[in-house]
Amino acid sequence: MNDFGKTLARIREFRDARDWMQFHNPKNLAISINLEAAELLEHFQWKSMDESEQHAKAARDEIAEEIADVAIYLFELADNLGVDLLAAVNAKLAKNEAKYPVHKAKGSAKKYTQLH
Amino acid sequence: MNDFGKTLARIREFRDARDWMQFHNPKNLAISINLEAAELLEHFQWKSMDESEQHAKAARDEIAEEIADVAIYLFELADNLGVDLLAAVNAKLAKNEAKYPVHKAKGSAKKYTQLH
Amino acid sequence: MNDFGKTLARIREFRDARDWMQFHNPKNLAISINLEAAELLEHFQWKSMDESEQHAKAARDEIAEEIADVAIYLFELADNLGVDLLAAVNAKLAKNEAKYPVHKAKGSAKKYTQLH
Amino acid sequence: MNDFGKTLARIREFRDARDWMQFHNPKNLAISINLEAAELLEHFQWKSMDESEQHAKAARDEIAEEIADVAIYLFELADNLGVDLLAAVNAKLAKNEAKYPVHKAKGSAKKYTQLH
């Protein structure tokens, strides 16, 4: 059941049974991805990094749900645009591997434009 | 190559080769998910719904990259918390199917708390 | 009472009476500005531009409260950094006036980098 | 020049000279507030709380500009909805003062719903 393609099929089916494609244009989906991402971040509001680590364990199920909310809209947006999400992720990883060579980027949080 | 598990392995490998786990605590990953989601939304800033549809086609490759950026951090956050993302998505879909029964939710953009 | 300087003084007083400066570092305030901005945007989720206009009138008081939530953290962040917000806004407006000359920008939603 | 009312008048004038009211509906302005808030937060991406404090000083002028970008759209949205922003901020502060009584909230980052 937890296969990527089957998950995508279930997202489409859920939407179409409710006739929601009319609301799910790219702009609205991008907005909803942002709103769900904010609900995820809200879990860590005002918390130190240590408290965030602890909270991530203690509230793992609620956080997993917020992650899922982002993922559902993200998977659907990719699908609606005809984008193969896993291929896009792998293509971007290849790009990042080139932009952030290990010998320059190791241990540094700098942006690639600031790496020497 | 575009299998979910293999993609996850590549994300981990990319991060660990660069010794970036020290920056990738849950709070920071949630922030980065928000920042990448904003870059995705920026594509549709000021555009009407129609213009957004057209732009989504014309700039599909750039948009696919922004979607990938969100996905990379989202996949990693789930992985770091020991959350099986596809299982979490399917669990949330099951919940949404119950919260939004077809006969009540069909054609409506209302929140489940406002459905009668 | 609704003077900018007095409003700022009240924000400081509210925070200090609760001993909250310890949580209000720049990173945390920037996060909270994002979270409140998302709650504001949530008002327009899935709504068309026309429905958004109508909703903005019908729910003006709730929306005013979300705007205030963003403003409170924004005013405080500027204040904590020693930034005179109104001076910063006027300086940015001067910059925008130069970046978007009327004869080029009139009626166009393009970014200044794309204006000819 | 740095008076709130005069700043608002300048924002209106800047927009109207460019005939931009057609793009500045409430939904689009709420989106832009979110996008500018994300650019502000980007300054602190991957940084520890201490590094964020240091960066806030070192990059104060750039950060002031990002704060101004949020403020410009926020001031305009309030203005377009007929909301007196400073009055709204003071009304919200009064509400927060009641929701977070000093003897309960002092030194705590808990939400008012979790204060005892």
Side-chain angles (χ1 to χ4, degrees), chain C residues 7-110:
Chain C
T7 301
L8 213 46
R10 189 172 178 180
I11 291 172
R12 275 187 221 125
E13 211 179 306
F14 174 78
R15 175 196 65 209
D16 292 337
R18 283 153 192 80
D19 196 16
W20 283 355
M21 193 57 185
Q22 57 184 312
F23 308 116
H24 287 203
N25 55 67
K27 183 164 180 163
N28 275 346
L29 283 173
I31 289 172
S32 288
I33 290 165
N34 274 268
L35 299 185
E36 300 296 348
E39 292 192 20
L40 173 61
L41 181 53
E42 200 182 346
H43 269 276
F44 307 107
Q45 193 183 15
W46 306 124
K47 291 191 176 65
S48 71
M49 296 308 176
D50 281 350
E51 290 164 344
S52 294
E53 296 274 10
Q54 288 163 27
H55 177 71
K57 278 173 202 151
R60 202 179 69 146
D61 290 356
E62 291 96 314
I63 294 171
E65 229 178 81
E66 303 296 354
I67 292 173
D69 283 333
V70 181
I72 291 169
Y73 291 130
L74 195 71
F75 290 8
E76 190 196 336
L77 177 57
D79 188 48
N80 291 354
L81 302 186
V83 169
D84 176 333
L85 179 60
L86 296 180
V89 165
N90 277 284
K92 191 62 202 286
L93 285 168
K95 222 167 165 172
N96 286 345
E97 285 156 6
K99 276 194 333 193
Y100 293 94
V102 170
H103 71 283
K104 287 191 183 173
K106 198 165 184 177
S108 162
K110 283 187 186 155

Side-chain angles (χ1 to χ4, degrees), chain B residues 68-81:
Chain B
D69 284 332
V70 181
I72 291 169
Y73 291 131
L74 196 71
F75 290 7
E76 190 196 335
L77 177 57
D79 187 48
N80 291 354
L81 303 185

